[in-house]
Every structure is written in structure tokens, then in C-alpha cells.
């Protein structure tokens, strides 16, 4: 009954996800909603997995300094790994959560220099904190509630003087005497002088305009004059005048008028007092934040002095009564029964009722944390495609402490989204997506097809296990079924048993007969796609007018097409050579130019494009490459969009008439006017 009773101030576990670890929170209030449910206003505490990597490095440096200063005993790597799960970071962030999501109690304490870190591992549900995390500013600061214990925080006490030895130090520089208890005045004379000082203070407030506005009535002025500031002023006056009542009386009322002494309660206005009460309700007794956010024009000493004077007023008593009444109306405690519903990540065994994650898991898998093969219950953990699982004890450890008992690569494999990726580990489409010349639409298409790449790097033990345990691994069968998981732990365990025996006998190496290079080239050439044969029949006649267009008419009507300009320029410069396109094939009349009507072509989607693209060389392109010099080859590679200008090296097909360029009907340059007739 007591274990399920939760009160204000308890540290508890909250569950917001079935697969994620519990949230550690401190209950501040328990409120009952209109529909009858109970909500808890809690303070957020964060784990190491909830903060960035830069703040984690800062926390590591703070932990190393703490270990050096407190002289902590050495711990193992596994204990150091588990201590990071016990460290929390306090914050000032509040949130409201349903009380039905509470899953148990825990203990959170402030880390002290006298504590031993290894003791936290011996206690169940025990955490510690030493830094405060700001979720808005993303900063880590030391907690101000630290108890300063040690020689560097204590005062150095000088040695005691011997009897009869005089103190040669200057007492006026060290301290100032404000009252002498062995004075010649009696207690009655002192009380009478204090009454006179109060009367002078009341008269001074009556003469002051600002005080008469704040204390319009006589009894308010008399109450203000009876405060400690007036009594301190009267006793200081007696001390300065050598406890002579006549001189002290004249000092109270100098020539200019009575002396007015006011404290912080009178100096502060009503609006400033309201701001102070509002800040005190929000921050408590954190006077630095009160001054920074609400009263920056006040000094810290003034705020502290006003606080202790404000506690003596009726206003403080009224607020205390209101808070007590609100606390009585709120819930003090709530009973939450033990949560007994099955977890959705629970793996249902074969033969029982099929569950959410029961299918697809192999019996030979081990626990990712403790590597055990036997457990009363198994739970799915990590990405679904990895098919990792935890045993019952490691699952409870994961839910409570937010990590695994032993450090694994899978636990820290998740990389922050904000960290920039290295282009060296990207595929070609991913690297193109980061290019500034790639549009957002093409970038989305490129990333839609490609998936995240990964690298498998084998160790020496893995390579040895492949040879030693071929009967268990069955590499040919595993290669045909790459989606089926392999129990690597069982293979390594069997390899460690067989390895001492197999080390005496050398491994049999079967020589691999490789074919010569010429045979491989012939097979590749045979498998290459053949050049499409031209249909039998009459050859397509060459349109000579298309090769030599009317430049005079085209220069007036508009710009010529790129293909027509290139063909004419090539014919004139090459001196009888054939024009070639960018891929080295001769231009024929069957190729469409921009002057011909556009034919609707099928647009290829970049996501559906084949990767990689293979270009098959023909006899013509190979002959063309031989005719090109090294300089021309490099120039053509730098500018693949320009046509090649080379002499004809290919055997020309027999034609009916020689290809002679027809002179243009209208020369490009003429002095006669050109007349266009309809």
C-alpha cells in the first residue's frame, strides 16, 4: 500500500512510450481535473541521452574534476559506463502529466564531495545530480545548492594570545565599536532617549512630503518611526556622543531640522512591492534571478533586506494563510495501482497467442546486453530491421536507467540530425543532393530512391570463424538468403572451441584457376549488345539542301538552329570531312533538328534511371578515337557539348553523285537591298 502511495516531493518514474526509457520527475503538485482524473505538476530531470554530445563532453570533464578533487576509488569501465546512467541533470522546466503514467518511485540526491560514486550502483533506483540543465539556452551550470565543505571554505583562526600579552594590531582597521555595555547610563535613561528619538522621527515624517503621502495618518507615521532603523540611529547617536544625553539630544535635531531615517520598507513603492511578491512566487528565494528579471534597478542587498522586513508585515501573514488554504484544497497524496498490462514490445513465443512482435525472431538470438540465451521473457529492442532483443532483467534496466549494462555499438550508433554528414561516406546521389546546383525537386527525387548505406568491416576472428565453422555457417546457403539472420555469437563460441585443436593442422588452401585476360575480354565482347542492323532496301538519300541551308534568308528572319550552324561550319572548315556529334557518330538526315516539328519524347524520371550507365563503342567511334590526337581528346572531354572537327577517316559509302557544297542562293554579305515577296 505504501509503495503505491505517491506524495508531493517524491521522485517517480513516468512512462510516455512503451519502447523508450522512463522519465524521471519530481512531483510538485497533485491536481484533480474536472473529469475526475488526477494530473501531476512535475519538475523535469534529464538523462545524458537527452542532451547533445557537446554537453556530454562538458559533463565528462566535470566528472573527472570531481573524481580528482574528492579522490574517488578507481572503478572498472563497465562501472563507469553504468554510472553515466545514474547521473541526472536538474532543470527548472515544469510539465503536467497524468498520474496514471507513474510506474514507481526512485531516489535522487545532490552529489556531495563526501559521497562515493560506486555506492550508487549498489542501490536500486538511486540517482544523483550535480549540474543544472537549461532546455532553452542548452547550457549546463553547477547547482547553487552545493554545501561548501573543506579547508578552502573555512576561516583561518589565529593563535590565542598568552596571558598578559598585548594585541599590537590596529583595532580600528579590523572592527568598529558601536555599543558599550558598560556605559554610565541606566536602562531607564536609555528607554527615555529612545522614546524621544521615536517622537523626533514621527515629527520628521510629518514634515516630509513624500512620507506624508505614503503615511497619511498619524498612527502610520508613528508605526514607521518605531521601526528598528530609528532605534539603531538613536543608539549610534549615544555611542558617538560618549553617552551624553544633552549632546545626543542636540544631534537628533540639528540646525536644519529633525533627522529622518527610513528603511527599505519605506523606500520601496507599492508597485515595487507587488513585483517582488510576484517574483518570489515564481523563483522562491533566488534573489539573483529576482533582481535580474523583475527588479534590475535595485541592489541585491536592498532586495535581501526588504525580504526580511517584508516577512514581519501583515502582507506576508495573509499570503501564508492563502497558501495554506490552497494546499488544504489540493491533493496531498494519490494511490496508483501497480501497472500489470503487457508491454507491446514483448516477444510472444511460438505456439502462444500471436503478438505484435512475435514473428520474425529467431530462437538462437542472444540478449544484446548480457548475451544470455535463456530468459523467462524477451523484449524487442532497437530498430525493427535489426531484430535485437533484451532479456527480462536487461529490459527493466533499460527502462529505468536508459541504457544497457554493457557498452555496445548499437546503443551509441544513433547520430544527431544536426551534425553535418561527411561526403566521403555518401553515395553519389546523396552527394549530388548537397550540391548548390541541384534544385530541391531533383534533390527529393534523388534521395527518394537511395537508402542509407552501411559498411561491413570484418575482424580477424570473423574471418577465421568463416573457415573453421563452414558446416554451421553454410556460406553458400547464407549468400542465397541474405535476409535470414545469422547467429554470430554461436559461431564465435564454436570457433573458440575448435580453434586450439585446428591450430596444429594447417588449413587446406584450394588453388583457384583464373582464366587469362584474353578469354575474359572475348566473353565480355560476346555478351555486349550488338549494333542494330539497318533494314534491307534502298538507302536513304542525302538531302544536300539540308546540309547547306540558305544563310542569307536565315540571317534576316531569325537565328539559325544550332544543328544547322554546326553542320555548315563543319563542312566548310573540315574541307570535305563529315560532321560528327558529341558521341562521335556522323550526323545523318534522320536526326531531328530544331527546325523540324517536335516529337513528343518520353521523359525519364531521375529516380527510375538505371545506375550505372554503360556506353558501348562501335567501329566508327573506335576509328575516330585513333584519328584524334591526345590534345584533341582532352579538349573533347572537357567540352562534350561541342561537335568534333576532324577529317574523314571512315570509308564513305558509295553515293550517286559527289557531295559538293551548293553555293548559297543569297550571299551573306551584299550591298543590294533584299526584297521579300509574298
Amino acid at each position: 500500500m505504501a509503495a503505491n502511495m505517491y506524495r508531493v516531493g517524491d521522485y517517480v518514474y513516468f512512462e510516455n512510450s512503451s519502447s523508450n526509457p522512463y522519465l524521471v520527475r519530481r512531483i510538485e503538485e497533485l491536481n484533480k481535473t474536472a473529469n475526475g482524473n488526477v494530473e501531476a505538476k512535475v519538475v523535469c530531470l534529464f538523462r545524458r541521452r537527452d542532451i547533445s554530445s557537446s554537453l556530454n563532453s562538458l559533463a565528462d570533464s566535470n566528472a573527472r574534476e570531481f573524481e580528482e578533487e574528492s579522490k574517488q576509488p578507481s572503478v572498472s569501465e563497465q562501472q563507469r559506463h553504468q554510472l553515466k546512467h545514474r547521473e541526472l541533470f536538474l532543470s527548472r522546466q515544469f510539465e503536467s502529466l497524468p498520474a496514471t503514467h507513474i510506474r514507481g518511485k526512485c531516489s535522487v540526491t545532490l552529489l556531495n564531495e563526501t559521497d562515493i560514486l560506486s555506492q550508487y550502483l549498489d542501490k536500486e533506483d538511486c540517482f544523483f545530480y550535480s549540474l543544472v540543465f537549461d532546455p532553452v539556452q542548452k547550457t549546463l551550470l553547477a547547482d547553487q545548492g552545493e554545501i561548501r565543505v573543506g579547508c578552502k571554505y573555512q576561516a583561518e583562526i589565529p593563535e590565542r594570545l598568552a596571558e598578559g600579552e598585548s594585541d599590537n594590531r590596529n583595532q580600528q582597521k579590523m572592527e568598529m565599536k558601536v555599543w558599550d555595555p558598560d556605559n554610565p547610563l541606566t536602562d531607564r535613561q536609555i528607554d527615555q532617549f529612545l522614546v524621544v528619538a521615536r517622537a523626533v522621527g514621527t515629527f520628521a515624517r510629518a514634515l516630509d512630503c513624500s512620507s506624508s503621502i505614503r503615511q497619511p495618518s498619524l498612527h502610520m507615521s508613528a508605526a514607521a518611526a518605531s521601526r528598528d532603523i530609528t532605534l539603531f540611529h538613536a543608539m549610534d547617536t549615544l555611542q558617538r556622543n560618549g553617552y551624553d544625553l544633552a549632546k545626543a539630544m542636540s544631534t537628533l535635531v540639528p540646525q536644519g531640522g529633525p533627522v529622518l531615517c527610513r528603511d527599505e520598507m519605506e523606500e520601496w513603492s507599492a508597485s515595487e512591492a507587488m513585483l517582488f511578491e510576484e517574483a518570489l512566487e515564481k523563483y522562491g528565494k533566488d534573489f539573483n534571478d529576482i533582481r535580474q528579471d523583475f527588479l534590475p534597478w535595485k541592489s541585491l542587498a536592498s532586495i535581501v533586506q526588504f525580504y526580511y522586513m517584508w516577512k514581519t508585515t501583515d502582507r506576508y501573514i495573509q499570503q501564508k494563510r492563502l497558501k495554506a488554504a490552497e494546499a488544504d484544497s489540493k491533493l496531498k497524496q494519490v494511490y496508483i495501482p501497480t501497472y500489470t498490462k503487457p508491454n507491446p514490445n514483448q516477444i510472444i513465443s511460438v505456439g502462444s497467442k500471436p503478438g505484435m512482435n512475435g514473428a520474425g525472431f529467431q530462437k538462437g538470438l542472444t540478449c544484446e546486453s548480457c548475451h544470455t540465451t535463456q530468459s523467462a521473457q524477451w523484449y524487442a529492442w532497437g530498430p525493427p530491421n535489426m531484430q535485437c532483443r533484451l532479456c527480462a532483467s536487461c529490459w527493466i534496466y533499460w527502462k529505468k536507467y536508459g541504457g544497457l549494462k554493457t557498452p555496445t555499438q548499437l546503443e551509441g550508433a544513433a547520430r544527431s540530425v544536426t551534425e553535418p554528414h561527411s561526403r566521403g561516406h555518401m553515395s553519389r546521389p546523396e552527394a549530388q543532393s548537397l550540391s548548390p546546383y541541384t534544385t530541391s525537386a531533383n534533390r527529393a527525387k534523388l534521395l527518394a530512391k537511395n537508402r542509407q548505406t552501411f559498411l561491413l568491416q570484418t575482424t580477424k576472428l570473423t574471418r577465421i570463424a568463416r573457415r573453421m565453422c563452414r558446416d554451421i555457417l553454410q556460406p553458400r546457403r547464407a549468400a542465397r538468403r541474405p535476409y535470414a539472420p545469422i547467429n554470430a555469437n554461436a559461431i564465435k563460441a564454436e570457433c573458440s572451441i575448435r580453434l586450439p585443436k585446428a591450430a596444429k593442422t594447417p588449413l587446406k588452401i584450394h588453388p583457384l584457376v583464373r582464366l587469362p585476360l584474353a578469354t575474359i575480354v572475348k566473353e565480355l565482347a560476346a555478351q555486349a549488345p550488338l549494333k542494330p542492323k539497318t533494314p534491307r532496301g534502298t538507302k536513304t538519300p542525302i538531302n544536300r539542301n539540308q546540309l547547306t541551308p540558305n544563310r542569307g534568308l536565315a540571317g534576316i528572319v531569325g537565328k539559325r538552329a544550332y544543328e544547322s550552324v554546326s553542320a555548315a561550319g563543319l563542312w566548310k572548315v573540315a574541307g570535305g570531312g563529315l560532321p560528327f556529334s558529341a558521341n562521335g557518330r556522323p550526323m545523318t538526315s534522320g536526326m531531328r533538328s530544331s527546325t523540324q516539328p517536335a516529337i513528343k519524347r518520353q521523359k525519364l524520371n531521375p529516380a527510375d534511371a538505371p545506375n550505372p550507365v554503360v556506353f558501348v563503342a562501335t567501329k566508327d567511334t573506335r576509328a575516330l578515337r585513333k584519328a584524334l590526337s591526345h590534345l584533341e581528346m582532352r579538349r573533347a572531354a572537357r567540352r562534350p557539348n561541342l561537335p568534333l572537327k576532324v577529317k574523314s577517316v571512315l570509308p564513305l559509302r558509295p553515293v550517286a553523285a559527289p557531295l559538293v557544297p551548293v553555293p548559297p542562293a543569297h550571299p551573306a554579305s551584299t550591298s543590294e537591298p533584299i526584297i521579300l515577296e509574298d
Side-chain angles (χ1 to χ4, degrees):
M1 181 71 178
N4 295 337
M5 193 68 69
Y6 301 94
R7 300 175 178 82
V8 176
D10 289 346
Y11 290 92
V12 295
Y13 294 117
F14 274 90
E15 186 177 20
N16 65 340
S17 174
S18 60
S19 58
N20 292 336
Y22 292 142
L23 305 176
V24 181
R25 299 291 185 263
R26 185 181 67 200
I27 301 177
E28 290 293 316
E29 294 179 3
L30 291 172
N31 302 318
K32 196 170 185 179
T33 59
N35 54 3
N37 298 329
V38 178
E39 285 190 353
K41 182 182 178 182
V42 295
V43 178
C44 299
L45 289 94
F46 295 88
R47 304 179 190 265
R48 276 180 171 263
R49 66 194 307 270
D50 301 328
I51 62 178
S52 61
S53 58
S54 59
L55 294 182
N56 268 305
S57 60
L58 182 62
D60 291 337
S61 62
N62 180 75
R64 286 192 295 268
E65 293 177 1
F66 174 79
E67 292 178 1
E68 293 175 359
E69 292 179 358
S70 59
K71 298 179 181 179
Q72 294 286 330
S74 60
V75 294
S76 62
E77 289 297 328
Q78 184 175 359
Q79 289 178 334
R80 190 180 301 275
H81 171 74
Q82 294 179 2
L83 279 174
K84 292 182 180 181
H85 301 156
R86 301 299 183 100
E87 184 179 8
L88 299 177
F89 302 101
L90 187 65
S91 70
R92 291 177 180 171
Q93 181 178 348
F94 292 88
E95 63 180 0
S96 296
L97 297 173
T100 54
H101 290 185
I102 297 177
R103 297 295 181 261
K105 293 182 181 180
C106 60
S107 174
V108 182
T109 57
L110 176 64
L111 185 62
N112 198 3
E113 292 183 359
T114 58
D115 295 342
I116 299 177
L117 292 175
S118 58
Q119 292 181 354
Y120 287 94
L121 300 177
D122 301 333
K123 302 176 184 178
E124 192 73 17
D125 303 326
C126 189
F127 300 89
F128 65 89
Y129 75 94
S130 60
L131 300 175
V132 179
F133 173 62
D134 189 354
V136 180
Q137 302 294 334
K138 305 296 182 182
T139 55
L140 277 179
L141 300 174
D143 187 41
Q144 298 179 356
E146 181 182 2
I147 301 175
R148 297 183 176 181
V149 180
C151 58
K152 59 182 179 180
Y153 300 116
Q154 308 304 321
E156 295 181 359
I157 302 175
E159 296 181 359
R160 184 177 180 182
L161 297 176
E163 295 183 1
E165 184 181 358
S166 60
D167 192 359
N168 299 326
R169 296 176 298 176
N170 189 359
Q171 299 295 330
Q172 294 181 357
K173 293 183 179 180
M174 300 182 63
E175 57 188 2
M176 184 178 63
K177 194 174 184 179
V178 296
W179 183 256
D180 187 6
D182 299 331
N183 58 74
L185 299 178
T186 61
D187 293 342
R188 184 180 179 185
Q189 290 175 331
I190 295 174
D191 292 340
Q192 289 175 351
F193 182 77
L194 294 178
V195 171
V196 173
R198 293 192 189 97
V200 172
T202 305
F203 179 65
R205 283 168 175 79
L207 296 178
D208 186 56
C209 297
S210 60
S211 299
S212 61
I213 295 174
R214 295 179 182 179
Q215 293 99 16
S217 59
L218 180 61
H219 70 277
M220 293 179 65
S221 300
S226 301
R227 301 184 68 84
D228 293 340
I229 189 68
T230 306
L231 302 181
F232 293 157
H233 174 65
M235 298 175 74
D236 290 343
T237 304
L238 287 175
Q239 174 67 21
R240 286 196 304 268
N241 292 279
Y243 298 95
D244 188 352
L245 292 177
K247 292 182 180 180
M249 289 287 186
S250 60
T251 306
L252 286 177
V253 187
Q255 186 177 2
V259 178
L260 177 60
C261 300
R262 292 190 296 190
D263 55 8
E264 296 295 334
M265 289 297 296
E266 293 184 78
E267 292 290 344
W268 286 44
S269 62
S271 59
E272 291 174 342
M274 294 293 290
L275 283 175
F276 175 78
E277 292 178 358
E278 182 181 353
L280 195 67
E281 181 72 21
K282 182 177 181 180
Y283 293 122
K285 292 190 293 184
D286 197 342
F287 299 114
N288 289 317
D289 290 348
I290 291 175
R291 179 177 179 271
Q292 182 178 357
D293 296 343
F294 285 86
L295 300 166
W297 59 89
K298 294 289 184 181
S299 63
L300 189 62
S302 175
I303 295 175
V304 174
Q305 187 177 358
F306 178 80
Y307 168 73
Y308 286 103
M309 291 183 178
W310 174 78
K311 290 185 69 175
T312 62
T313 60
D314 296 338
R315 180 72 178 174
Y316 170 75
I317 298 174
Q318 292 177 3
Q319 287 197 0
K320 197 172 182 180
R321 290 175 179 174
L322 288 175
K323 288 185 178 180
E326 290 179 1
D328 293 338
S329 61
K330 293 180 180 179
L331 297 175
K332 300 292 188 306
Q333 58 187 9
V334 62
Y335 176 79
I336 304 297
T338 305
Y339 189 76
T340 57
K341 293 183 179 180
N343 194 293
N345 293 273
Q346 181 177 345
I347 301 174
I348 308 299
S349 59
V350 181
S352 60
K353 186 178 180 181
M356 182 177 180
N357 297 305
F361 284 87
Q362 305 295 325
K363 293 183 179 181
L365 294 178
T366 60
C367 176
E368 291 294 331
S369 179
C370 62
H371 306 291
T372 183
T373 57
Q374 296 180 356
S375 177
Q377 187 59 52
W378 295 95
Y379 295 88
W381 179 80
N385 58 336
M386 298 295 293
Q387 293 191 356
C388 302
R389 63 180 184 176
L390 297 177
C391 61
S393 61
C394 293
W395 177 258
I396 296 175
Y397 186 92
W398 158 257
K399 294 291 288 185
K400 288 185 176 181
Y401 305 114
L404 301 183
K405 295 180 181 180
T406 56
T408 58
Q409 295 181 357
L410 186 59
E411 183 184 6
R415 184 163 50 168
S416 176
V417 182
T418 58
E419 294 181 1
H421 299 277
S422 175
R423 293 198 180 191
H425 300 282
M426 290 184 180
S427 60
R428 185 179 66 180
E430 290 178 353
Q432 291 176 356
S433 66
L434 298 178
S435 174
Y437 303 103
T438 308
T439 60
S440 59
N442 293 335
R443 189 177 303 149
K445 292 177 181 178
L446 287 172
L447 294 179
K449 181 181 178 182
N450 297 277
R451 299 189 179 184
Q452 185 178 5
T453 57
F454 59 92
L455 174 66
L456 297 179
Q457 186 175 3
T458 57
T459 60
K460 291 183 179 180
L461 181 60
T462 307
R463 291 195 292 269
I464 294 173
R466 290 175 181 173
R467 295 289 189 92
M468 302 297 300
C469 306
R470 294 182 67 89
D471 55 340
I472 302 177
L473 178 60
Q474 297 179 358
R476 291 181 177 274
R477 179 181 176 86
R480 289 193 298 268
R481 303 173 61 192
Y483 52 88
I486 299 174
N487 192 355
N489 295 328
I491 295 175
K492 290 180 180 179
E494 185 66 23
C495 178
S496 61
I497 297 173
R498 298 183 182 181
L499 190 59
K501 302 178 182 179
K504 300 176 183 178
T505 59
L507 295 176
K508 295 181 180 179
I509 300 176
H510 301 281
L512 181 62
V513 179
R514 298 185 181 275
L515 299 176
L517 182 61
T519 308
I520 297 175
V521 171
K522 289 182 180 179
E523 291 182 359
L524 292 177
Q527 296 176 3
L530 299 177
K531 183 179 178 181
K533 297 181 179 180
T534 56
R536 297 181 179 179
T538 58
K539 298 181 180 180
T540 304
I542 299 176
N543 189 358
R544 300 178 182 179
N545 295 330
Q546 185 178 356
L547 294 176
T548 313
N550 193 341
R551 289 182 294 174
L553 184 60
I556 298 175
V557 176
K559 294 184 178 180
R560 288 176 293 170
Y562 174 77
E563 291 82 2
S564 61
V565 176
S566 303
L570 286 175
W571 185 265
K572 188 174 182 179
V573 175
L578 289 177
F580 292 95
S581 60
N583 59 0
R585 296 185 179 183
M587 293 183 178
T588 60
S589 60
M591 299 178 64
R592 184 182 62 87
S593 64
S594 60
T595 57
Q596 297 176 356
I599 302 174
K600 187 176 181 181
R601 297 181 179 180
Q602 182 181 3
K603 294 183 178 180
L604 294 177
N605 190 0
D608 300 332
N611 191 14
V613 180
V614 180
F615 291 93
V616 180
T618 61
K619 294 182 180 180
D620 298 340
T621 54
R622 284 194 291 269
L624 179 62
R625 289 173 187 171
K626 294 180 180 179
L628 293 176
S629 63
H630 182 68
L631 181 61
E632 292 174 345
M633 186 77 74
R634 295 180 60 184
R635 187 180 301 159
R638 286 194 297 267
R639 296 181 179 180
N641 58 310
L642 298 180
L644 299 177
K645 301 177 182 180
V646 294
K647 294 183 179 181
S648 177
V649 296
L650 302 178
L652 298 178
R653 297 177 181 178
V655 292
L659 295 176
V660 180
V662 181
H666 299 280
S669 61
T670 179
S671 59
E672 298 181 0
I674 299 174
I675 301 174
L676 299 177
E677 297 180 358
D678 295 338

